[in-house]
Amino acid sequence: MKLLDLRLTGFRNYEDQTVEFDPGINLFVGQNAQGKTNLLEAVCYLSRGAAFRTRKEAELIRFGSEFAALEARVFSYDREQSLKTVMFAGRRPRQLFLSGVKKPSREDLDGVLNTVLFCPEDLSVLKKGAAERRKLLDDALCQLRPRYARALEEYRRNYAQKSAVLRERDEHPELLDLLPEYNERMAQTGAIIITTRAKYIRRLAERAAVHHGAFTADREQLRLSYQTVSTVQDPTASARQVYDWLREHQESHARAELASAQCLSGPHKDDFEVAINELSVKTYGSQGQTRTAAISLKLAERDLFEADTGEQPVLLLDDVLSELDAGRQDFVVNCIRSGQVLITCCETDRVTHAGRTFSVEGGIIRTAEP
């Protein structure tokens, strides 16, 4: 999978900019706030249908512009395709195009351009709360599994509606009649979410352990374990079995939910634990161990994309190497010599000179002199 070129119009601090990419490593160099991360965000948006720094599309449109447009040519699955997204200021919905044909849904663009993003925040994701780790899983699985993305969207919608009913139970007790329907749908979609996440974690753990072992010369063993609601005895069991366990949990927590006015049952609080030599990274991991484990997870994510799709995703590294010592920089660079990579940094001497180097200044991208 290769990103051939990208045109940005009215996006963030880009007025009208076109970039042609090298099939290997592409290094974007510039000081802070010049547009390096904006470029990666544009690629990520075309890939996933959402930005990684904001959920508000209005923030993606250049100040004073009425719209923002992203256009890219992609070579994947042995053919060239084009992607285009147009976002409008105001309430007009965005427009999506695949090879010049307007598409009604984001799902119609799934799989054309897959990306694995690694940004500085990911270096500490294992030390943060469970929400950040769930997002790491969901971002990957929504690209890999369209059924998972649909289940997650429906679950979130039913969760929000059930939570509203619980909060308003005193003022509008008649709404409580809707709870059985919400519980049913949340158990159905929740079972899909839990089984998909757990199976993915099991595979991710195998590949991450290999990368972490190489990082540490096998001095450290990395282990991942998925954590979900207490009644789910085996999260990798069939969705039907997990559904039954979720229904059991819902019934046992029905009174507690009414008393607390909170939704207490389902995968919306799930987490996964990362351990090194059987010690929790969140609790006991050093800064170096945490960063190494986070990098291993992202490299493993890239491996699974290739294994499942037959295509290596485009790897996006946003100012990550500058956060690492020289040894870890060398290891990461050696791991990314295959496939296409877009790297942002402030200093050219921090990374490899292979591929193509660009300078970024004030929303202007230029090819740097070799």
Side-chain angles (χ1 to χ4, degrees):
M1 185 170 290
K2 306 292 183 186
L3 183 61
L4 303 179
D5 57 38
L6 173 68
R7 181 178 181 183
L8 306 96
T9 306
F11 182 84
R12 292 285 196 181
N13 69 328
Y14 289 101
E15 183 176 3
D16 190 356
Q17 181 72 59
T18 300
V19 187
E20 294 184 359
F21 298 99
D22 188 271
I25 295 177
N26 296 266
L27 175 63
F28 296 88
V29 183
Q31 297 302 310
N32 293 330
Q34 300 304 305
K36 304 188 303 298
T37 300
N38 294 343
L39 174 69
L40 298 193
E41 192 167 34
V43 176
C44 201
Y45 189 95
L46 282 173
S47 170
R48 307 176 185 186
F52 61 84
R53 290 186 295 174
T54 180
R55 292 186 178 182
K56 298 178 181 179
E57 290 189 348
E59 296 180 3
L60 303 176
I61 301 175
R62 180 181 170 90
F63 181 76
S65 298
E66 297 182 357
F67 70 93
L70 303 175
E71 305 172 67
R73 289 188 305 127
V74 181
F75 188 83
S76 59
Y77 303 103
D78 299 320
R79 62 191 177 119
E80 183 179 311
Q81 302 179 78
S82 65
L83 293 171
K84 181 178 179 180
T85 297
V86 183
M87 295 165 277
F88 299 94
R91 297 184 178 182
R92 185 178 174 184
R94 68 184 179 183
Q95 295 180 352
L96 306 170
F97 300 87
L98 175 59
S99 297
V101 178
K102 190 175 182 179
K103 297 296 181 179
S105 170
R106 168 63 214 174
E107 294 179 359
D108 295 311
L109 278 58
D110 285 343
V112 177
L113 174 62
N114 288 330
T115 57
V116 171
L117 169 69
F118 195 13
C119 55
E121 291 75 15
D122 292 327
L123 290 171
S124 59
V125 69
L126 303 184
K127 289 283 191 180
K128 295 181 179 179
E132 284 76 10
R133 288 182 289 280
R134 284 195 303 274
K135 185 177 185 301
L136 185 149
L137 293 181
D138 292 341
D139 286 347
L141 287 169
C142 283
Q143 290 189 83
L144 278 173
R145 304 281 187 269
R147 180 173 178 241
Y148 178 87
R150 291 192 293 270
L152 184 64
E153 181 180 2
E154 183 175 348
Y155 182 87
R156 287 172 172 169
R157 183 171 59 251
N158 282 280
Y159 169 78
Q161 292 168 342
K162 178 181 175 179
S163 298
V165 168
L166 291 171
R167 288 194 303 270
E168 299 173 13
R169 68 200 184 289
D170 294 330
E171 294 182 10
H172 301 283
E174 70 278 6
L175 294 177
L176 294 175
D177 293 338
L178 298 173
L179 287 182
E181 180 180 350
Y182 290 139
N183 285 336
E184 173 69 14
R185 293 302 300 153
M186 289 176 69
Q188 291 174 346
T189 53
I192 295 172
I193 292 168
I194 289 173
T195 57
T196 306
R197 283 176 177 171
K199 291 174 182 177
Y200 178 77
I201 280 288
R202 183 171 60 187
R203 297 177 61 213
L204 190 72
E206 295 175 356
R207 291 303 308 158
V210 172
H211 287 298
H212 193 83
F215 250 131
T216 64
D218 292 324
R219 293 188 302 271
E220 297 177 350
Q221 286 74 49
L222 185 71
R223 179 182 59 80
L224 277 63
S225 57
Y226 188 62
Q227 301 168 339
T228 186
V229 296
S230 59
T231 54
V232 177
Q233 301 172 29
D234 178 9
T236 63
S238 68
R240 178 67 219 187
Q241 178 62 75
V242 173
Y243 163 84
D244 290 338
W245 285 327
L246 282 176
R247 292 294 283 163
E248 177 186 346
H249 195 270
Q250 287 175 342
E251 293 171 5
S252 66
H253 285 70
R255 289 187 177 182
E257 288 188 335
L258 287 173
S260 65
Q262 296 182 38
C263 183
L264 303 175
S265 183
H268 51 276
K269 289 189 176 181
D270 287 3
D271 196 1
F272 67 90
E273 182 182 59
V274 180
I276 294 176
N277 294 341
E278 300 306 318
L279 294 177
S280 169
V281 170
K282 182 178 181 179
T283 306
Y284 301 104
S286 67
Q287 187 177 50
Q289 287 177 320
T290 302
R291 289 179 174 180
T292 301
I295 294 170
S296 298
L297 289 179
K298 284 295 183 176
L299 294 176
E301 179 182 330
R302 190 190 193 207
D303 292 345
L304 295 190
F305 264 98
E306 185 174 13
D308 285 4
T309 68
E311 297 272 334
Q312 200 167 42
V314 178
L315 184 61
L316 310 176
L317 302 180
D318 184 25
D319 198 28
V320 170
L321 297 182
S322 62
E323 297 284 336
L324 305 175
D325 59 39
R328 288 184 173 86
Q329 282 188 22
D330 290 342
F331 180 85
V332 174
V333 168
N334 288 332
C335 286
I336 64 177
R337 290 190 179 277
S338 64
Q340 189 178 43
V341 189
L342 277 59
I343 308 174
T344 68
C345 70
C346 295
E347 303 169 352
T348 57
D349 60 352
R350 300 297 295 238
V351 296
T352 176
H353 294 287
R356 187 177 300 174
T357 300
F358 303 85
S359 66
V360 183
E361 184 176 359
I364 303 295
I365 302 174
R366 298 182 176 88
T367 303
E369 293 296 329

